[in-house]
Structure formats: structure tokens, C-alpha cells
Amino acid sequence: MRLDSARKAYAEELVRIGEEDERVVVLDADLSSSTGTREFGKMFPDRFFNVGVAEQCLVDVAAGLAVSGKTVFASSFAMFLAGRAFEQVRNTVAHDHLNVKLVATHAGITVGEDGSSHQCVEDLALMRAVPGMRVIAPADPEETRQAVRTAHSEEGPFYLRIPRPKVPVIFDSSHEFRLGKVYVVRDGSDLTIASTGMMLYNSLETANALEKEGYSVRVLHVPTLKPVTKTEIVKAASETGTIFTIEDHNVIGGLGSLVTEIVSKHRPCQVHRFGIPDVFGRSGKHDLLLEEFGLSPDRLRNRIKKILEERV
Amino acid sequence: MTFTVENGFIGKQLPMTRMDLRQTACRVRAKALRAITRAGSGHPGGSLSCADLLVFLYFEWMKPVDEFILSKGHAAPALYAVLAEKGVIKEKELEGLRKPWSRLQGHPNRKTLPLLPVSTGSLGHGLAVGTGIALAKKLDKSPARVFVMLGDGELDEGEVWEALALAGHKNLDNLIAVVDRNNLQLDGRTEEILSLEPLKEKISSFKWAVTECDGHDFESIRRAFSEPHPGRPLCVIARTVKGKGVSFMEGNPAYHGKPLTEEELERALDEIRLC
């Protein structure tokens, strides 16, 4: 398993897009060395605006640049972009369907030691509830690069969620990211694991472990939480029954809710939502926290097995 | 995007005398109040306090390439009345104010009225959006200026001060903020609820040029907007009276968000006709 940084992938792709398209401007709120936008700033100082520690202003200044014909990328941590500036995102950027790409880094509990104040586990719920917002949580650096490119090429608002730690590399350049597509990363017939963002790796590990115990596990990767194509989710419900959703997010409002909303209408089945169980996070190394919240491959295998065995 | 004469946002600039401006402002007041009463809800007080400023900007001061944001979006009836006076929208449309099918939503809505640069209504957004537009104009080497009208109560919002800091820091001399300083907000007097004074000094300290005027005297308004402000954004603090032009509304916070009854409207229109 090779680890690489999705933030670095974002930073590099942004510079490439900046070279190709001079309408692109980038904004940050004093976190450019953490989010990666500093690289763009170094290359294109005229098209980079650091507004200081002021996220509400960040989002509305982005809106002003967008109404003037610019394609705007605005970055901060998920907590401050989706959280602090929610009303600016909702009432200006999304309401007027402006060409602003919100790229939020350090999302979820995997931000680690900074603790609960910085661990945004509500952003997918918030952004999913905003009309017209496209919401993407890429799995790894390659998918991040492609998602950034998609956000650039499609008109209107996007929310991209990028984790802090280096993540396992899963895809190579043969991967084709499509907005809204659900990927069957691994086929199986007994049960389905659906995950989003960097949890794909743990899902695959869990599926491999369960396979050794005789379960045939399908793994769905859902990088786009909105809009989403329902087909593969409904098919999984119909062909494998039970679906387990795994996300670095509150179990309320994110992928678990999305899958439940879809199957409850089209093909009702059991959905077990694994994520942050509606509590605030705490400080710790990110892999330790995943263990604590039952989201490491070992813990996931045991939790799933327990449910499956109790059912029999 | 830029709104030009062709799409009629600013419309033709006709040379106007002081008397023309006054009479236009009277018609704007009458139209706004009629629309609010017909709608059965709305914000008459703050619409009247900024009416003269809007008329000055739209009929004399702004050029077709300029942008205008009504950050105090609840004064939408006054803006709509100005657009009707300009012939940008039909006068009959004012009857649809606050109706679901109307372009004239309760607060300025770019989705229904695309000639607006941005939707407003939730307080505190306009100056930051205007700052973004001003940055874009600089980047594009455009001569356009950006005008943003704020309420004084609106200045309680922290985001306004974030934008004041940024625009001053970036030397945005193409950005002009207008504060409708009527001293009243929804719950009462601004100085009792959350004091703003010394406002001029506060905004100056954010690296802005600041000038004050009587917001109901066109000569005074013209002098304030003529203030040179090289390398700095300009803030015009316009001293105004909430409900200006209707004796029983003037300075009365009760008319912040309450429409006039039919009977009150008739009395108000009688007073406005005399002006």
C-alpha cells in the first residue's frame, strides 16, 4: 500500500488548471500552506487572494469574483468553510448558482490531534441539503485530481471534501471519475459495503477479511454524494440485500442517509450506518481515532460479522 | 458580467436638475409605499430613508458599466420603484411585490431578476461581494466602480467589518460603500442596541476615505460622492431619517417592517404629493 497526499494532488492540479485557464482565481483564508493553495499563489500572485482569517468574507468575495466572470476556487478547513460560512455558501454562492468551487480540506475526524473543534463531521449533511450544490468526497489523490478538473469544467457551485492525512493510493490514471457515478470496486453477492472518500481503502480491506471468512462482499465507492446515480445502489440492495455504509462523518445526513433515502424508496433493505455516532470527536492520531470509532478494517469486520451472525 | 445600457440596468442617464431628482424621489417613495401596502408586508421605513440616495445614484451618478448592490435588501421596494422609474421594469410589476409568481421577490433575487449582480436580503453579505467584484474589475483593468448600500443596523454583522478590512487593505478605490445612517434598527435606536459611533473614525481606521452628508439633500450627497479618494475605497455615511417624507413615519421604528394600512397610505401619499 502506497500513501500519498490528496491535498498535494489538489494543489498541483490547481496550478495546472491555472496555467490553462486565466479566468481561474483562488482564494484562501490564511490556511494556504495547509490547504495547498499557496502553490497557486506562488505561480499566479495576481490571481490569488488571501483574505485573512475571515471565512464569511472569503465565500462572499469568491461570489463577487464569480459574478464578474471568474472561475473561483476557495479553500479552508471543512469546519470553517462548510460550518462557519454556511450561510454565505447557502444564501449567495448556492442561491445564485455561482461558479465557486469550495474545496474543504482537513475534513472529518481524520484531522486528528486538533480535536473536536476542528473535526467537521457535519459538512456532507450541510452541503447535501443546499439546493444545486454538487458534493464530492474523492477517495485518493488521482480521484481528487479528476474531481478538481470536473469542478473546473462544470459551471456552478461545488463542494469538495479532502482529508488531512496521506491516504492509500487506490486509483491510477486509468480511473475515470464521472460526476454522480457509483463505482462497483469489488463484486460480491452476500452483502454490500458502500463508502465515500478515503474510507474506500478500509472498506476494501474489510471486504477482503470477510471474504476469508466465507462472505462474498460487494464494495461500492460513492465519491459523489450529490447528484448521485441510483442504479448501482438499488441493484446492490436487490442482489445482495443488506448494505453497510462507512464514512468519516456523522451517521446523520451523509452517505448513510443518502443510501437509506434511495433504497427506502426503490428497494427497501437493511442499511447499517457506520460513521461517527452523532457525537463530537476527540484528539488523537487519525488511525487511532478510526479504531476508537470502529472504522478500522479489524473493527469493521467484527461489527459486520456480529450483525450478520445475529441475523442468522 | 457587466450590465450595460443595452440590457437597461442603469438605463439612460438624463441630465436632471435638483428639482427633477426631488420629484423623482417623491414618485419613488409613493410607488414603494403603494407596493408594500398592496403586498401586505415589507419594510417601508428603510425604503424611504434610502430613496433619495438611490435616485441620486441611478439618475445622476452611476455609469452604465458600474455595479450596484443593495446590501440592505429589505429596502427592495425602493430599488424596484427606482427601476420602474427608469423603465427597466414595468410599473405594473410593482403590484406583484412579494408574490410567488413575481420577479419582485421580498428581497432582491437574482434568480428572478437577473439584471441584479447578486441576490441580497440576509444582512452583511453585500460589501464582501462588492469587494470581490471590485477585485475582479481591477484584475480586468476595468474602469467600472462598485457601489454597495448598507443599512446602519446591518453594520452589526461581523462580515461587514471583515470586508471593510479587506477592501482597505487592498486599496480598492473602485469600491464605494454608502451607509444609510437612519439611526434605527428593528428593535430600536442603533446607539442603544449596539452603538456604532464614532462610526466615521472606525471606518477611517480600516484605511477607507470616509465622508458624511445629509442623505436627503442632493447637493450635500453630490459633494460627498465627489470626494477624491485615491488608493482608498470611499464610504459615504449618509445621515437620513427613517420613513422620510411621511410625517407620522419619520423616526418611528414601528414602521421598520410593518406595511401601512390603506388609510395610512392615503395620508402618506397626500404628504408625498405635496413635496
Side-chain angles (χ1 to χ4, degrees), chain B residues 15-32 34 48 51-56 59-60 78 81-82 84-86 91 216-218 222 244-245 269 271-275:
Chain B
M16 284 203 137
T17 64
R18 260 173 81 177
M19 186 53 84
D20 291 335
L21 286 170
R22 248 189 73 184
Q23 286 172 349
T24 305
C26 286
R27 288 196 299 275
V28 163
R29 286 191 163 86
K31 284 186 167 83
R34 266 198 214 100
L48 296 196
D52 296 314
L53 293 159
L54 287 174
V55 166
F56 171 77
F59 287 87
E60 177 174 323
V82 165
E85 273 294 312
K86 276 260 162 191
E91 181 156 356
H216 302 305
D217 175 339
F218 288 105
R222 189 173 298 120
K244 175 70 180 178
L269 293 177
E271 287 191 26
I272 290 169
R273 271 184 215 109
L274 292 174
C275 81

Side-chain angles (χ1 to χ4, degrees), chain A residues 40-111:
Chain A
F40 184 96
K42 278 189 211 154
M43 292 290 290
F44 311 104
D46 295 348
R47 290 191 271 144
F48 177 73
F49 304 100
N50 195 334
V51 304
V53 193
E55 294 80 11
Q56 302 173 41
C57 187
L58 172 85
V59 172
D60 272 336
V61 170
L65 284 153
V67 302
S68 310
K70 307 296 176 194
T71 301
V72 190
F73 283 80
S75 277
S76 180
F77 291 179
M79 193 75 233
F80 313 124
L81 203 53
R84 179 66 152 263
F86 174 77
E87 204 256 353
Q88 283 70 18
V89 172
R90 191 266 185 199
N91 263 335
T92 304
V93 168
H95 186 279
D96 289 356
H97 204 71
L98 300 179
N99 210 13
V100 176
K101 324 301 175 183
L102 304 159
V103 182
T105 66
H106 297 62
I109 53 161
T110 57
V111 63

Side-chain angles (χ1 to χ4, degrees), chain B residues 94-158:
Chain B
L94 293 172
E95 295 174 9
L97 176 70
R98 290 183 165 243
K99 301 285 193 298
W101 42 262
S102 170
R103 297 202 289 173
L104 309 184
Q105 292 288 291
H107 292 86
N109 190 322
R110 185 186 190 230
K111 279 187 134 63
T112 57
L113 208 54
L115 53 83
L116 302 170
V118 71
S119 299
T120 50
S122 172
L123 293 176
H125 292 235
L127 192 60
V129 176
T131 301
I133 297 176
L135 284 169
K137 300 293 181 201
K138 290 274 179 194
L139 211 51
D140 294 341
K141 305 197 173 14
S142 156
R145 299 166 299 172
V146 187
F147 294 83
V148 181
M149 181 174 287
L150 302 123
D152 49 3
E154 180 177 14
L155 300 186
D156 293 354
E157 290 282 3

